[in-house]
Amino acid sequence: MEGEATYVSDLDNLKATELRLGLPGTDAPEKPTPASPRGSKRALLAADEECQSKSKSLGADSSGQEAAPVAKAQVVGWPPIRSYRKNSFQARKAEEEAAGLFVKVSMDGAPYLRKIDLKVYEGYKELRKALENLFKCFSLGELSGMEGCNGSEYAITYEDKDGDWMLVGDVPWEMFISSCKRLRIMSGSEARGMRSSP
Amino acid sequence: MTYFPEEVVERIFDFLATHRDRNAVSTVCKTWYRVERLSRRSVFVGNCYAVRPERVVARYPRLRSLTVKGKPHFADFNLVPHDWGGFALPWIEAAARGCPGLEELRLKRMIVFDESLELLARSFPNFKVLVLISCEGFSTDGLAAIATYCRVLRELDLQENEMEDRGPQWLSCFPDSCTSLVSLNFACLKGEVNAVSLERLVARCPNLRTLRLNRAVSVDTLSKILARAPHLVDLGTGSFTIDHRAEAYHKLINNFIKCKSLRSLSGFWDATPRCLPAVYPICGNLTGLNLSYAPAIQGADLIKLIRQCSKLQRLWVLDCIGDKGLAVVANTCKELQELRVFPSDVYGEGIAAVTEEGLVAVSSGCPKLISLLYFCHQMTNAALITVAKNCPQFTRFRLCILDPGKPDPVTNQPLDEGFGAIVQSCKDLRRLSLSGHLTDQVFLYIGMYAERLEMLSIAFAGDSDKGMVYVLNGCKNLRKLEIRDSPFGDAALLEDVGKYETMRSLWMSSCDVTLGGCKTLAAKMPRLNVEVINEMDESDELEENPSDLHRVEKMYVYRTVAGPRNDAPDFVWTL
């Protein structure tokens, strides 16, 4: 969405939008940054000014479009939400991000399970390849479970947050990794049952 | 009245319910002043630096209940440095010396040390109620002191404090003889508590009506607690992570069914939709519901839950409820008085959540709505005008359009007309927060129509000094004015300096006020404290001796009879 401000919590991101002279990528002579979390006043002023000039130009601009693609203004204390609330969401996000997304993978007939980190894959194709590699000693051939594939008798399924077993590949990748609790490579007739349903 | 004996006058004063009325009668004559001060049981100090604690205690020696507020409101949003001030200790010390009968203490946005809590616990044998809201500086050790020494404690209410967790032992410090608890809220505590101690405490307090658990409390413990305290009225559920297939879940449902008195629910920190049916049995009785810390509950599940809550008076949700969800609220919750919709995606772009449509729906469906806090991505004038027509009874109206300075997306106009309609229609409006693209025009409307307005919050709004002057001239009942990032300068600030003595406080940050302007204000009004808050860059040598033309980053002005404060840190200059 245009003009939506992103809100930072640490100094490094502030530095990234600090207005400086110099070519991008070169390090301008660094001002010593204060140790306190209050942050550089200049950077905040710059952000504030940018914000004010943005809002002023909105009145004049009849087309309603934001002119320059925003170095999104980072505004202290905006939106006006109590730090307590902001922190509890931040903490939750940090928990989720730091953890990595390790899920168990079981395959019908295999004597042991494996574990993979969903975060390292960019999409379903990579995931499928990775799973093939993991279980190739059990001679899978091609893994099915994706649209259009009519390879072997296996289907890749996953258990979602609600406890239901779903076919992998239906939802966007991001949505998938946020709701996937574990994976199961289903074999034989069970798989056929899943694949044939619309 | 002067011929009545003092005992009679005192009885008559007992009927005066508000602080304002009691303050008023105390100014009539010396006798009334004396009668009033000796019979005063409850005092509210809106700004801890407006008066010295010793003076309050000397005037009201029979005080039983004291409420004190510290930092200005914008401290909630990190605009005030942590060590700006607002210390509780001087108040507790003064009360310990002068009002040994103190029973209740309520503090908001203050710095409270463990030593202060310990002094509190040991100084007042009748101490019953401690409420700390948005405070900091203390730890569970301080709570341990309260638990240990306050023999008749009824209420320990900790709301959204930043407190250090030093272990779970504090809860075990409540002695076995403590059976008087009516309300216990430790939802903001980050660490674990001892489950067994908690269960035992609940079991021996038959009058317990409010219990708000923190995230660390498991569902298993919750279940046991409900079994022991089915008479609870207000419950904070703790984490609420349940495996919905497990036996624990069924036990939980059964225990909830027994809680016939339950009227208010909050918590749900880690709740997932599958767990919600556990609370269905009591939804029909709920008057208060807070799901604003449960981002996993959205869409259809949230709607299904709300459809069962037809008696809701107070609802706090995240914006993932969506406009659709708000339409369901409008159809179901006909008793709704207060609605708060918080943004679920604070740090990035999310699924577009609520817009003006949701608000319009609620305004037309909920005839009793009087208090609103609404975070949204966009708002239109047409919608606000409709809302104003539907709900002329608003007393609190706070709208936050997440993109600062955003205009009406349909007409590309500023939102002056929309907010103008609100202030014109809502004659009882006491609190207003503005957002979106706004010109001086909206302030003209506010000055003209918002007669009862007491608190106004302005951000990224206005064109010139005229805007601020309209407000200062027009709003007769204005008590608190807070402004950030708006082009108001010295001319506006100095237009009517006497006005500030009729108000509690004025905050201005990132505006166009200069040091010279502040100095002028301070010189003209000796009974105001004009504080300039300078967060200096180490690299900014210019700050050492700033000129009067220098723009002031943050300014806080408040009336006071205590003179300049003696605990101000280096970066706060009282002019």
Side-chain angles (χ1 to χ4, degrees), chain B residues 115-144:
Chain B
E115 296 74 39
S116 314
L117 290 177
E118 219 175 302
L119 179 63
L120 174 70
R122 289 181 198 265
S123 307
F124 307 105
N126 259 350
F127 197 73
K128 296 198 173 82
V129 173
L130 179 62
V131 179
L132 299 175
I133 305 176
S134 295
C135 294
E136 56 182 329
F138 62 101
S139 77
T140 45
D141 287 351
L143 299 183

Tab-separated table of all heavy atoms in Angstrom, chain B residues 115-144:
chain	number	residue	atom	x	y	z
B	115	GLU	N	11.716	-0.662	46.465
B	115	GLU	CA	11.799	-0.078	47.806
B	115	GLU	C	10.510	0.674	48.135
B	115	GLU	O	10.050	0.683	49.275
B	115	GLU	CB	12.975	0.907	47.899
B	115	GLU	CG	14.348	0.282	47.721
B	115	GLU	CD	14.649	-0.084	46.278
B	115	GLU	OE1	14.275	0.686	45.360
B	115	GLU	OE2	15.216	-1.158	46.071
B	116	SER	N	9.945	1.307	47.118
B	116	SER	CA	8.694	2.033	47.329
B	116	SER	C	7.576	1.061	47.694
B	116	SER	O	6.762	1.335	48.584
B	116	SER	CB	8.300	2.802	46.068
B	116	SER	OG	9.387	3.489	45.540
B	117	LEU	N	7.535	-0.065	47.005
B	117	LEU	CA	6.486	-1.044	47.289
B	117	LEU	C	6.665	-1.629	48.674
B	117	LEU	O	5.687	-1.887	49.390
B	117	LEU	CB	6.497	-2.162	46.232
B	117	LEU	CG	6.029	-1.727	44.841
B	117	LEU	CD1	6.142	-2.871	43.840
B	117	LEU	CD2	4.596	-1.224	44.878
B	118	GLU	N	7.913	-1.807	49.048
B	118	GLU	CA	8.156	-2.352	50.373
B	118	GLU	C	7.713	-1.369	51.456
B	118	GLU	O	7.062	-1.745	52.443
B	118	GLU	CB	9.644	-2.654	50.534
B	118	GLU	CG	9.869	-3.921	51.280
B	118	GLU	CD	11.324	-4.313	51.341
B	118	GLU	OE1	11.911	-4.476	50.253
B	118	GLU	OE2	11.828	-4.430	52.458
B	119	LEU	N	8.049	-0.104	51.236
B	119	LEU	CA	7.622	0.925	52.189
B	119	LEU	C	6.110	0.963	52.274
B	119	LEU	O	5.519	1.046	53.348
B	119	LEU	CB	8.162	2.288	51.743
B	119	LEU	CG	7.771	3.468	52.624
B	119	LEU	CD1	8.335	3.300	54.026
B	119	LEU	CD2	8.274	4.783	52.007
B	120	LEU	N	5.477	0.866	51.123
B	120	LEU	CA	4.011	0.863	51.071
B	120	LEU	C	3.453	-0.286	51.885
B	120	LEU	O	2.555	-0.115	52.716
B	120	LEU	CB	3.564	0.740	49.598
B	120	LEU	CG	2.083	0.572	49.336
B	120	LEU	CD1	1.361	1.853	49.657
B	120	LEU	CD2	1.837	0.213	47.886
B	121	ALA	N	4.026	-1.468	51.644
B	121	ALA	CA	3.500	-2.661	52.300
B	121	ALA	C	3.609	-2.571	53.816
B	121	ALA	O	2.731	-3.038	54.551
B	121	ALA	CB	4.224	-3.899	51.783
B	122	ARG	N	4.690	-1.953	54.296
B	122	ARG	CA	4.921	-1.935	55.740
B	122	ARG	C	4.255	-0.774	56.450
B	122	ARG	O	4.155	-0.761	57.672
B	122	ARG	CB	6.423	-1.867	56.014
B	122	ARG	CG	7.150	-3.135	55.695
B	122	ARG	CD	8.622	-2.932	56.050
B	122	ARG	NE	9.482	-3.886	55.425
B	122	ARG	CZ	9.885	-5.010	56.009
B	122	ARG	NH1	9.475	-5.309	57.217
B	122	ARG	NH2	10.700	-5.828	55.369
B	123	SER	N	3.816	0.243	55.694
B	123	SER	CA	3.387	1.481	56.355
B	123	SER	C	1.899	1.573	56.643
B	123	SER	O	1.478	2.401	57.433
B	123	SER	CB	3.789	2.689	55.508
B	123	SER	OG	5.149	2.653	55.205
B	124	PHE	N	1.095	0.774	55.956
B	124	PHE	CA	-0.348	0.979	56.076
B	124	PHE	C	-1.032	-0.316	56.481
B	124	PHE	O	-1.288	-1.182	55.645
B	124	PHE	CB	-0.912	1.488	54.744
B	124	PHE	CG	-0.197	2.695	54.216
B	124	PHE	CD1	0.692	2.593	53.158
B	124	PHE	CD2	-0.397	3.938	54.801
B	124	PHE	CE1	1.369	3.711	52.676
B	124	PHE	CE2	0.274	5.056	54.330
B	124	PHE	CZ	1.159	4.941	53.274
B	125	PRO	N	-1.367	-0.457	57.751
B	125	PRO	CA	-1.917	-1.726	58.229
B	125	PRO	C	-3.253	-2.085	57.595
B	125	PRO	O	-3.615	-3.251	57.539
B	125	PRO	CB	-2.098	-1.479	59.728
B	125	PRO	CG	-2.020	-0.013	59.929
B	125	PRO	CD	-1.215	0.538	58.822
B	126	ASN	N	-3.961	-1.071	57.076
B	126	ASN	CA	-5.270	-1.352	56.499
B	126	ASN	C	-5.265	-1.396	54.992
B	126	ASN	O	-6.317	-1.287	54.363
B	126	ASN	CB	-6.236	-0.231	56.908
B	126	ASN	CG	-7.112	-0.686	58.047
B	126	ASN	OD1	-7.134	-1.865	58.396
B	126	ASN	ND2	-7.849	0.247	58.616
B	127	PHE	N	-4.073	-1.544	54.422
B	127	PHE	CA	-3.979	-1.382	52.971
B	127	PHE	C	-4.750	-2.468	52.237
B	127	PHE	O	-4.556	-3.652	52.471
B	127	PHE	CB	-2.518	-1.376	52.525
B	127	PHE	CG	-2.349	-0.814	51.162
B	127	PHE	CD1	-2.485	0.549	50.940
B	127	PHE	CD2	-2.097	-1.630	50.077
B	127	PHE	CE1	-2.356	1.092	49.679
B	127	PHE	CE2	-1.954	-1.103	48.805
B	127	PHE	CZ	-2.087	0.261	48.604
B	128	LYS	N	-5.605	-2.021	51.288
B	128	LYS	CA	-6.485	-2.991	50.641
B	128	LYS	C	-6.324	-3.083	49.130
B	128	LYS	O	-6.534	-4.134	48.540
B	128	LYS	CB	-7.943	-2.621	50.936
B	128	LYS	CG	-8.347	-2.680	52.377
B	128	LYS	CD	-9.862	-2.723	52.495
B	128	LYS	CE	-10.292	-2.959	53.927
B	128	LYS	NZ	-10.303	-1.716	54.733
B	129	VAL	N	-6.027	-1.951	48.471
B	129	VAL	CA	-6.096	-1.931	47.010
B	129	VAL	C	-4.846	-1.301	46.407
B	129	VAL	O	-4.516	-0.157	46.709
B	129	VAL	CB	-7.329	-1.100	46.541
B	129	VAL	CG1	-7.310	-0.927	45.035
B	129	VAL	CG2	-8.619	-1.754	46.986
B	130	LEU	N	-4.172	-2.033	45.542
B	130	LEU	CA	-3.042	-1.478	44.796
B	130	LEU	C	-3.280	-1.680	43.311
B	130	LEU	O	-3.448	-2.812	42.848
B	130	LEU	CB	-1.732	-2.151	45.198
B	130	LEU	CG	-0.486	-1.639	44.447
B	130	LEU	CD1	-0.236	-0.169	44.716
B	130	LEU	CD2	0.754	-2.455	44.799
B	131	VAL	N	-3.307	-0.564	42.563
B	131	VAL	CA	-3.489	-0.633	41.127
B	131	VAL	C	-2.327	0.093	40.469
B	131	VAL	O	-2.085	1.254	40.757
B	131	VAL	CB	-4.824	0.038	40.690
B	131	VAL	CG1	-4.965	-0.024	39.180
B	131	VAL	CG2	-6.013	-0.612	41.369
B	132	LEU	N	-1.596	-0.616	39.606
B	132	LEU	CA	-0.468	-0.016	38.891
B	132	LEU	C	-0.721	-0.158	37.397
B	132	LEU	O	-0.839	-1.269	36.896
B	132	LEU	CB	0.838	-0.709	39.261
B	132	LEU	CG	1.234	-0.649	40.735
B	132	LEU	CD1	2.495	-1.480	40.978
B	132	LEU	CD2	1.466	0.777	41.174
B	133	ILE	N	-0.815	0.981	36.716
B	133	ILE	CA	-1.103	0.956	35.287
B	133	ILE	C	0.048	1.615	34.537
B	133	ILE	O	0.420	2.753	34.828
B	133	ILE	CB	-2.403	1.724	34.976
B	133	ILE	CG1	-3.556	1.176	35.823
B	133	ILE	CG2	-2.741	1.631	33.502
B	133	ILE	CD1	-4.847	1.941	35.648
B	134	SER	N	0.596	0.903	33.562
B	134	SER	CA	1.679	1.449	32.725
B	134	SER	C	2.811	2.018	33.554
B	134	SER	O	3.385	3.055	33.203
B	134	SER	CB	1.135	2.543	31.798
B	134	SER	OG	0.224	1.997	30.900
B	135	CYS	N	3.133	1.365	34.643
B	135	CYS	CA	4.248	1.802	35.468
B	135	CYS	C	5.480	0.970	35.145
B	135	CYS	O	5.420	0.017	34.379
B	135	CYS	CB	3.899	1.659	36.948
B	135	CYS	SG	2.568	2.751	37.474
B	136	GLU	N	6.613	1.379	35.730
B	136	GLU	CA	7.836	0.608	35.519
B	136	GLU	C	8.757	0.837	36.696
B	136	GLU	O	8.510	1.705	37.530
B	136	GLU	CB	8.505	1.050	34.222
B	136	GLU	CG	8.789	2.537	34.194
B	136	GLU	CD	9.406	2.987	32.889
B	136	GLU	OE1	10.119	2.197	32.266
B	136	GLU	OE2	9.186	4.149	32.521
B	137	GLY	N	9.834	0.066	36.726
B	137	GLY	CA	10.845	0.282	37.758
B	137	GLY	C	10.797	-0.724	38.879
B	137	GLY	O	11.688	-0.744	39.734
B	138	PHE	N	9.803	-1.600	38.872
B	138	PHE	CA	9.727	-2.567	39.960
B	138	PHE	C	9.853	-3.992	39.432
B	138	PHE	O	9.867	-4.220	38.227
B	138	PHE	CB	8.422	-2.408	40.748
B	138	PHE	CG	7.169	-2.654	39.957
B	138	PHE	CD1	6.485	-3.855	40.054
B	138	PHE	CD2	6.661	-1.676	39.103
B	138	PHE	CE1	5.317	-4.074	39.332
B	138	PHE	CE2	5.499	-1.885	38.380
B	138	PHE	CZ	4.823	-3.102	38.489
B	139	SER	N	9.959	-4.910	40.361
B	139	SER	CA	10.111	-6.315	39.985
B	139	SER	C	9.190	-7.164	40.849
B	139	SER	O	8.475	-6.653	41.719
B	139	SER	CB	11.545	-6.768	40.175
B	139	SER	OG	11.802	-6.986	41.565
B	140	THR	N	9.266	-8.454	40.658
B	140	THR	CA	8.455	-9.369	41.453
B	140	THR	C	8.859	-9.327	42.932
B	140	THR	O	8.074	-9.733	43.799
B	140	THR	CB	8.591	-10.805	40.919
B	140	THR	OG1	9.971	-11.076	40.678
B	140	THR	CG2	7.832	-10.954	39.610
B	141	ASP	N	10.049	-8.828	43.213
B	141	ASP	CA	10.440	-8.684	44.625
B	141	ASP	C	9.524	-7.688	45.329
B	141	ASP	O	9.139	-7.872	46.482
B	141	ASP	CB	11.888	-8.185	44.733
B	141	ASP	CG	12.884	-9.276	44.376
B	141	ASP	OD1	12.443	-10.438	44.219
B	141	ASP	OD2	14.078	-8.979	44.250
B	142	GLY	N	9.191	-6.617	44.625
B	142	GLY	CA	8.268	-5.638	45.198
B	142	GLY	C	6.905	-6.266	45.448
B	142	GLY	O	6.261	-6.017	46.466
B	143	LEU	N	6.467	-7.093	44.519
B	143	LEU	CA	5.181	-7.778	44.693
B	143	LEU	C	5.232	-8.716	45.891
B	143	LEU	O	4.244	-8.873	46.618
B	143	LEU	CB	4.829	-8.572	43.433
B	143	LEU	CG	4.660	-7.768	42.151
B	143	LEU	CD1	4.233	-8.681	41.016
B	143	LEU	CD2	3.648	-6.663	42.333
B	144	ALA	N	6.383	-9.331	46.069
B	144	ALA	CA	6.526	-10.231	47.209
B	144	ALA	C	6.305	-9.467	48.518
B	144	ALA	O	5.654	-9.965	49.437
B	144	ALA	CB	7.905	-10.887	47.196
